[in-house]
């Protein structure tokens, strides 16, 4: 059986003529190396040696040599750090020039990788945040040997959930009666309802790095560039239509282009590709992938959740023919010790969406004033565009154009629902994941914290988006 391959590229210091390319499988294990003069040569060699189904992750500069900044970017951001703190966190937007200075420097040296930068002096360095959402790190060592680690979050927020209790749950449409009694008084019926996920306080002892914005079309295409071929091998209508959707988008983009901060949100990322994208982004940033993806030969119609926490997902790989139903499933194992990117769990997503606010029905409070709501979320008439116009299609909107919630996270509701992992068992039915947050055609009233979309057929669903998180502590 051939393996899907993720190739992560780590360039050695630029004085060498050849580059050493580390090759990883989708399960996150290193499976080989290639020494090549350029990327295209290594891609061809790796494909012939391992598999045609590969993902090429962007170049990762490991050299500590100075690089010239030539690409035009947004306005500068300036940050000051102190040697009194051994670890600092800096949050920046992508495509931004950033000035970073040590307040109490007395001469030292900067160690920088994954970022383009100009020649630093003893106390300051100017770097380019890059064109993708990512995690990186800069180190400064003073003459006395004192070290300062600066963690750079590009397009992400560091959110400490460990310092307080958080309200999760909802009072929504799904409920059953505690007793098999129907009162004529509606208020008694309301008091007799039992909700699948009742409002309650919970403790989440985590510090997370969270995408400020929904993952965009641009981020998906460049993250999975070499796994999106020029044509699909699929014989089945559903995967073929899905493949052609992304193949068409890739054809309209320029290789090695720039992802605008406010590119349109990705609204059609099936669960399998969401997991592959998370792994590819982890490897690109030098992090350990969370998901181990193993192909299984078993005829299935619905996914299964196993006792060890692993689960099934239907593959949507561009390199399958989909003629044999026995080979259409992947078993996903989760590495809880990995530091890479993953989908948020249900409780995490609810906590991030509510942003410390309690007794609120919506992100903006409890008001159903459409003018106020439109400041925070895209929403519509509550009718799918396919039903209204007879076309099963829906364009997206740019991310980050509305107001953020109190955690500084944008579009938590109303643009596209976000795939979240359920807590070991389904709350709503027999799903392993659910899609939270609603969609831009939903009515205002449907954008409450209880809104969710079923995702029980192996991760297939017409409209799905995502936002990734990283566990920092």
């Amino acid at each position: 059986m051939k393996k899907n391959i993720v190739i992560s590229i780590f360039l050695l210091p630029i004085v060498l003529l050849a580059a050493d390319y580390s090759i990883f499988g989708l399960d996150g294990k290193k499976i080989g190396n290639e020494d090549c003069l350029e990327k295209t040569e290594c891609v061809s060699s790796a494909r012939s040696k391992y598999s045609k189904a590969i993902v090429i992750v962007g170049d990762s500069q490991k050299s500590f040599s100075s690089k010239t900044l030539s690409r035009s970017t947004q306005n500068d951001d300036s940050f000051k750090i102190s040697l009194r703190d051994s670890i600092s966190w800096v949050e920046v937007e992508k495509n931004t020039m950033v000035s970073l200075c040590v307040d109490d420097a007395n001469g030292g040296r900067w160690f920088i990788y994954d970022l383009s930068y100009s020649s630093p002096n003893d106390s300051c360095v100017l770097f380019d945040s890059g064109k993708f959402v990512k995690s990186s790190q800069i180190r400064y060592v003073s003459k006395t040997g004192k070290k300062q680690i600066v963690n750079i979050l590009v397009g992400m927020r560091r959110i400490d959930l460990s310092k307080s209790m958080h309200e999760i749950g909802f009072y929504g449409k799904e409920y059953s009666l505690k007793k098999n009694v129907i009162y004529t008084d509606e208020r008694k019926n309301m008091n007799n309802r039992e909700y699948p996920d009742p409002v309650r306080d919970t403790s989440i002892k985590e510090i997370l790095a969270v995408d400020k914005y929904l993952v965009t079309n641009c981020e998906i295409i460049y993250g999975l560039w070499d796994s999106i071929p020029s044509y699909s091998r699929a014989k089945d209508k559903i995967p073929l239509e899905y493949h052609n959707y992304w193949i068409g988008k890739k054809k309209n983009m320029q290789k090695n282009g720039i992802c605008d901060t406010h590119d349109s949100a990705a609204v059609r990322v099936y669960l399998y590709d969401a997991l592959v994208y998370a792994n590819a982004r982890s490897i690109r940033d030098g992090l350990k992938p969370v998901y181990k993806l193993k192909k299984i030969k078993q005829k299935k119609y619905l996914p299964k959740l196993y006792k060890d926490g692993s689960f099934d997902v239907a593959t949507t790989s561009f390199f399958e023919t989909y003629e044999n139903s026995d080979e259409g499933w992947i078993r996903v194992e989760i590495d809880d010790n990995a530091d890479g990117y993953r989908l948020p769990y249900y409780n995490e997503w609810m906590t991030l969406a509510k942003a410390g606010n309690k007794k609120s029905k919506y992100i903006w409070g409890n008001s159903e004033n459409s003018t106020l709501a439109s400041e925070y979320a895209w929403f519509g008439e509550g009718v799918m565009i396919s039903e209204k116009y007879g076309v099963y299609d829906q364009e997206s909107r740019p991310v980050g154009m509305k107001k953020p919630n109190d955690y500084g996270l944008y579009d938590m509701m109303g643009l596209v629902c976000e795939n979240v992992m359920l807590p070991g068992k389904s709350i709503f039915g027999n799903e392993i994941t659910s899609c939270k947050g609603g969609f831009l055609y939903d009515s205002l009233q449907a954008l409450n914290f209880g809104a969710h979309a079923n995702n029980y057929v192996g991760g297939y669903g017409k409209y799905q988006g995502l936002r990734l998180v990283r566990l920092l502590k």
Side-chain angles (χ1 to χ4, degrees), residues 3 74 175 192 236 239 262 275 340 348 378 409-410 417 434 460 468:
K3 295 182 179 179
Q74 299 174 5
Y175 69 91
N192 198 39
D236 186 81
H262 301 290
L275 303 179
E348 292 171 338
W378 300 97
L409 306 177
Y410 293 82
C417 68
S434 185
Y460 279 81
L468 298 182

Side-chain angles (χ1 to χ4, degrees), residues 172-379:
K173 294 180 180 179
E174 287 89 359
Y175 69 91
S176 59
L177 294 178
K178 296 177 183 177
K179 301 175 182 177
N180 192 21
V181 177
I182 298 178
Y183 298 101
T184 55
D185 187 339
E186 183 61 26
R187 288 174 298 180
K188 290 184 178 180
N189 268 341
M190 290 291 291
N191 295 332
N192 198 39
R193 288 180 175 184
E194 184 174 42
Y195 294 86
D197 187 33
V199 173
R200 63 202 183 278
D201 286 342
T202 190
S203 173
I204 299 180
K205 299 298 183 182
E206 295 177 344
I207 301 176
L208 296 174
V210 185
D211 286 356
K212 288 174 61 176
Y213 311 106
L214 290 162
V215 175
T216 65
N217 286 308
C218 184
E219 294 274 355
I220 290 291
I221 291 171
Y222 283 130
L224 303 178
W225 183 274
D226 286 275
S227 72
I228 303 175
S230 57
Y231 67 94
S232 171
R233 297 175 57 195
K235 305 297 183 183
D236 186 81
K237 179 180 179 181
I238 293 177
L240 179 62
E241 190 270 340
Y242 175 70
H243 290 171
N244 287 339
Y245 173 86
W246 284 107
I247 291 169
K249 284 190 173 297
K250 178 183 174 181
K251 286 180 179 178
N252 292 325
M253 299 183 69
Q254 187 177 30
K255 191 170 185 178
N256 299 321
I258 296 173
C259 284
D260 186 82
T261 303
H262 301 290
D263 183 47
S264 56
V267 297
R268 294 191 64 191
V269 187
Y270 290 166
L271 181 57
Y272 170 82
D273 291 302
L275 303 179
V276 170
Y277 169 73
N279 276 0
R281 198 166 119 183
S282 297
I283 295 171
R284 182 196 67 193
D285 290 355
L287 305 170
K288 187 177 182 182
V290 172
Y291 302 111
K292 298 179 180 180
L293 309 178
K294 298 181 179 180
K295 196 169 184 179
I296 55 177
K297 287 191 175 183
Q298 186 174 346
K299 186 171 289 186
K300 287 178 175 291
Y301 300 99
L302 290 175
K304 180 180 179 180
L305 178 66
Y306 300 92
K307 291 182 179 180
D308 62 359
S310 61
F311 61 93
D312 297 327
V313 62
T315 179
T316 48
S317 168
F318 288 89
F319 298 91
E320 297 286 346
T321 61
Y322 300 91
E323 292 182 295
N324 189 342
S325 60
D326 291 350
E327 298 182 356
W329 289 83
I330 302 292
R331 183 163 174 173
V332 183
E333 296 178 358
I334 299 174
D335 186 346
D336 293 325
N337 297 316
D339 59 355
Y341 301 101
R342 59 172 171 80
L343 297 175
Y345 286 99
Y346 181 80
N347 287 2
E348 292 171 338
W349 188 92
M350 289 289 283
T351 298
L352 294 171
K354 291 194 173 188
N357 296 310
K358 297 187 177 184
K359 310 302 180 185
S360 293
K361 189 176 181 181
Y362 306 104
I363 285 176
W364 53 88
N366 287 306
S367 171
E368 294 190 355
N369 180 284
S370 60
T371 301
L372 173 63
S374 65
E375 295 179 10
Y376 291 85
W378 300 97
F379 55 90

Side-chain angles (χ1 to χ4, degrees), residues 437-454:
F439 195 62
L440 54 80
Y441 58 65
D442 286 340
S443 67
L444 186 159
Q445 292 76 17
L447 296 185
N448 57 69
F449 289 116
H452 74 95
N454 291 331

